[in-house]
Amino acid sequence: MHVEHAIVGAGLIGGYLAAHLADVTLQLQSDARLLVVGRDYAKCQFGPRMTISDFATPVQTRDTQNIEFVTNTSSWASTKRYPNVVWLTIKCTGIKQVVPDIRPLIGPQTIVVCCQNGIGSDAVIRQAFPDNPVIRCMFPFNVVKLNKGHFHRGSSGTVMLERLPLGQYPVFDDFHQRFSPVIDALNEQYGEVFPCAWCSNMDALLWAKCQVNLTNSVNALSNLSLKETLLDKGYRKIIALMMQEHLAVCAAQGIALPKITKVAAKFIPTVLRLPNWLFSRVAKSMVDIDPHAKLSMWWDLDQGRATEIDFINGATMIAGQRLGIDTPMNNIVYAAIKKMEKAPTRYALSAQDLLK
Ligand SMILES: NC(=O)c1ccc[n+]([C@@H]2O[C@H](COP(=O)([O-])OP(=O)(O)OC[C@H]3O[C@@H](n4cnc5c(N)ncnc54)[C@H](OP(=O)(O)O)[C@@H]3O)[C@@H](O)[C@H]2O)c1
């Protein structure tokens, strides 16, 4: 049995990735197994056939009979069957705790792909595995679970994988040769629903995504749907203020943000400040969304889990402190989320509460 790829974290991104990767690796090599490491409650999602759908294409099934689902990795240490690639699809908040769990999977030639949102969680993995190439991967679209084993992509965009400069890991200079066939196959087979590409400036891309993700915290504090949050001029003002601070921090670091949304990064705050009647016309694609959809921080608070705020707003704040740039709106929102994480019951904060 051949295990080339492992996915650690059997959640939304892990599920969408597994459905495609299992199928593609099986086609490339008939004895290829895909190892999925997840919680016991997630096992039922990873059957021999998985379903995927998206906003534009009909429901499709994937052959995932080659998935081997495990809830603990300790037995792998003795097998010495190290996957070539370990995809980490847990949240930033679980990165420190996952290190001992993935140690049995990381052999001398293993590449680790960190799929987290935000800035900086990959540093923990680099530090724990200094001799292995660690690359970052950005998922631009959101994924939700519709039914058992059915993962749905709610928006579009290309999955971006970090291209390492040659020579950084001399032993792994064949890195692209080993990894590229799978990425090419994903594109050839499933380019419509799982497009992927290499990215040479991952820092800039992740800071650009981080700007967009600042909305997450305000959606969580509003305790409303994303659509309702965005249609409130007060909440939009808060997001705009946080984004302006973020843009100043990026400029001071010399980071030129790539355009990952319809409107270029630096103009988003201006669009957010438009009056309601104009905003809903100019930013039609932002508000033309499922009226019930909520962002992940909303769900984290709802389920009593820690949020990823340290790696999103927190990243802007820490860089601001280092560079002598004030980030007052991010500070207020950060403190409000931290307070809400500890609150015994769920509550909402109005824009006026936050702007006081
Ligand atoms: N979902 C999206 O639409 C989306 C889009 C773009 C980017 N992202 C980013 O992708 C990352 C993953 O997000 P997600 O939404 O897929 O998270 P998720 O649905 O919460 O999935 C993560 C899964 O990993 C499990 N897990 C955590 N630590 C583990 C460990 N040590 N061993 C085994 N399983 C473990 C979690 O279980 P417990 O919760 O029980 O610990 C959970 O089932 C995040 O950084 C997120 O911001 C998500």
Side-chain angles (χ1 to χ4, degrees), residues 9-13 37-39 41 89-92 98 101 115-117 139 141-143 209 305 308:
L12 297 171
I13 294 295
V37 183
R39 305 294 191 205
Y41 63 76
T89 54
I90 59 170
K91 291 211 160 141
C92 303
V98 87
D101 297 343
C115 303
Q116 286 63 44
N117 261 338
F139 278 79
F141 44 75
N142 70 302
V143 176
K209 179 89 191 295
R305 297 191 304 213
E308 296 187 300

Side-chain angles (χ1 to χ4, degrees), residues 88-165:
L88 272 189
T89 54
I90 59 170
K91 291 211 160 141
C92 303
T93 43
I95 285 284
K96 272 196 187 134
Q97 294 88 322
V98 87
V99 169
D101 297 343
I102 60 170
R103 207 167 275 289
L105 303 178
I106 311 289
Q109 305 251 318
T110 305
I111 298 158
V112 186
V113 185
C114 293
C115 303
Q116 286 63 44
N117 261 338
I119 308 286
S121 61
D122 54 295
V124 174
I125 302 298
R126 275 179 225 289
Q127 204 181 4
F129 304 102
D131 298 325
N132 292 81
V134 175
I135 68 168
R136 293 167 291 177
C137 174
M138 193 275 280
F139 278 79
F141 44 75
N142 70 302
V143 176
V144 291
K145 189 158 50 68
L146 293 186
N147 286 306
K148 194 164 92 175
H150 181 172
F151 293 86
H152 176 86
R153 181 174 80 129
S155 50
S156 60
T158 300
V159 176
M160 302 299 284
L161 289 142
E162 182 168 21
R163 188 192 289 282
L164 289 182

